[in-house]
């Protein structure tokens, strides 16, 4: 999956430093990201590539390092050889290291933007010097990046799996039942609740499969397989889903990719039922 970087180590520890010549700069303009190269070999500019006016146009915030290469965040940079693209394009790009840097950079950029002002007293927040945290200099409120736990559930029954499509979402591939955890419940309870809320189906024998960071929704996805418990009649939650149905492995048309947990789970079901439940 997209977070699997092979021999490259993702180090997200925070440092209060400024970029040097060889460091990479990830810049956003609205919901667009500054990219260079072609889709199969995207890249981000190095600090040394920026014109002097760009280097002084705004502040640079340290993000993380991948394989020892450091990445910094800035806003609205322009430089020769790079263009702004919608962040959705990252789903189609490579290599993994640059794509994952762009995705996590997007998540952190959104967090910084959402915490410019204190939610308690309204004062302007300040970046902490020692850790990734925004601190209010007036009332002392501290804000750390939040990660939303979310489930993906592959419900299996008599050799079929429950697939869906979300209202307003993609129509060219299947989804599995998914949803966010609520305050006070376990992740297993979330899986059971979400399946019932969206399809009126009950499940049993819940089995954890794998997790995945998902920067698009600022979440951590927990993948489960489960068995149907009871009747298989589907009643969809129409506010959420446009479709839900049972399909056989032969009806799965997704092609294996190295991006999403949903795709991996569907392709695993397509390949074999052994060990899933």
């Amino acid at each position: 999956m997209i977070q699997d970087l092979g021999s490259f180590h993702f180090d997200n520890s925070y440092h209060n430093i400024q970029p040097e010549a060889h460091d990479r700069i990830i810049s956003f303009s609205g919901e667009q990201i500054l990219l260079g190269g072609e889709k199969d070999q995207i890249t981000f500019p190095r600090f040394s590539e920026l014109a002097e006016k760009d280097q002084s146009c705004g502040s640079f915030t340290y993000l993380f390092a991948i394989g020892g290469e450091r990445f910094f965040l800035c806003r609205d940079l322009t430089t020769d050889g790079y263009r702004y693209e919608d962040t959705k394009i990252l789903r189609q790009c490579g290599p993994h290291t640059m794509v994952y840097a762009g995705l996590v950079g997007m998540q952190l950029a959104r967090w910084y933007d959402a915490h410019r002002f204190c939610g308690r007293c309204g004062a302007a927040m300040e970046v902490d010097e020692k850790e990734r945290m925004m601190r209010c200099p007036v009332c002392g409120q501290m804000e750390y990046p939040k990660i939303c736990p979310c489930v993906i559930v592959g419900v299996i029954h008599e050799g079929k799996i429950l697939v869906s499509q979300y209202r307003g979402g993609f129509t060219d591939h299947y989804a599995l039942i998914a949803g966010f955890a609520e305050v006070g419940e376990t992740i297993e309870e979330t899986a059971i609740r979400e399946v019932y809320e969206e399809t009126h189906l009950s499940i049993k024998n819940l089995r954890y499969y794998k997790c995945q960071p998902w920067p698009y929704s600022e979440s951590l996805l927990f993948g489960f397989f489960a068995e149907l418990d009871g009747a298989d009649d589907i009643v969809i939650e129409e506010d959420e889903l446009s479709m839900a149905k049972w399909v056989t492995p032969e009806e799965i048309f997704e092609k294996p990719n190295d991006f999403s947990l949903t795709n991996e789970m569907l392709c695993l079901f397509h390949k074999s039922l052994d060990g899933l439940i």
Side-chain angles (χ1 to χ4, degrees), residues 117-125 134-143:
F117 299 96
C118 178
R120 177 186 290 169
C121 73
M125 299 285 271
M134 300 294 284
R135 184 190 301 275
C136 177
V138 176
C139 71
Q141 175 81 348
M142 297 181 293
E143 292 287 349

Side-chain angles (χ1 to χ4, degrees), residues 27 35 56 66 80-81 109 139 145 174 196 204 207-208 212 232 265:
S27 178
L35 298 176
S56 60
I66 297 179
D80 293 341
C139 71
Y174 289 140
Y196 188 79
K204 63 182 179 180
R207 178 183 173 185
Y208 172 73
Q212 178 184 32
D232 62 1
M265 292 173 67

Side-chain angles (χ1 to χ4, degrees), residues 44-55:
F44 302 103
R46 296 189 186 277
F47 187 64
S48 59
E49 295 179 70
L50 305 182
E52 184 175 346
K53 66 179 180 64
D54 288 327
Q55 294 185 21

Side-chain angles (χ1 to χ4, degrees), residues 57-191:
C57 73
S59 60
F60 295 85
T61 303
Y62 178 75
L63 293 174
F64 44 74
I66 297 179
E69 190 164 42
R70 303 189 304 188
F71 293 80
F72 288 77
L73 172 67
C74 195
R75 281 287 184 182
D76 299 316
L77 292 178
T78 57
T79 194
D80 293 341
Y82 295 84
R83 77 282 177 188
Y84 278 99
E85 299 269 10
D86 191 295
T87 54
K88 292 179 181 177
I89 200 174
L90 294 173
R91 294 181 69 104
Q92 309 163 25
C93 294
H96 265 41
T97 51
M98 292 297 166
V99 173
Y100 199 57
L103 290 171
V104 180
M106 173 188 69
Q107 181 175 353
L108 286 170
R110 288 174 175 173
W111 176 75
Y112 279 116
D113 285 349
H115 292 86
R116 291 179 297 166
F117 299 96
C118 178
R120 177 186 290 169
C121 73
M125 299 285 271
E126 296 179 349
V127 177
D128 189 75
E129 295 185 356
K130 295 183 178 180
E131 53 186 333
R132 196 179 306 282
M133 181 256 286
M134 300 294 284
R135 184 190 301 275
C136 177
V138 176
C139 71
Q141 175 81 348
M142 297 181 293
E143 292 287 349
Y144 293 88
K146 303 294 194 298
I147 300 171
C148 304
C150 179
V151 297
I152 296 175
V153 190
V155 184
I156 296 173
H157 176 57
E158 295 182 348
K160 297 181 179 181
I161 193 169
L162 178 66
V163 297
S164 66
Q165 288 178 339
Y166 281 85
R167 188 167 298 281
F170 294 105
T171 58
D172 60 346
H173 64 257
Y174 289 140
L176 297 173
I177 300 300
F180 291 97
E182 299 286 355
V183 173
E185 69 182 2
T186 67
I187 203 68
E188 293 84 1
E189 289 169 340
T190 300

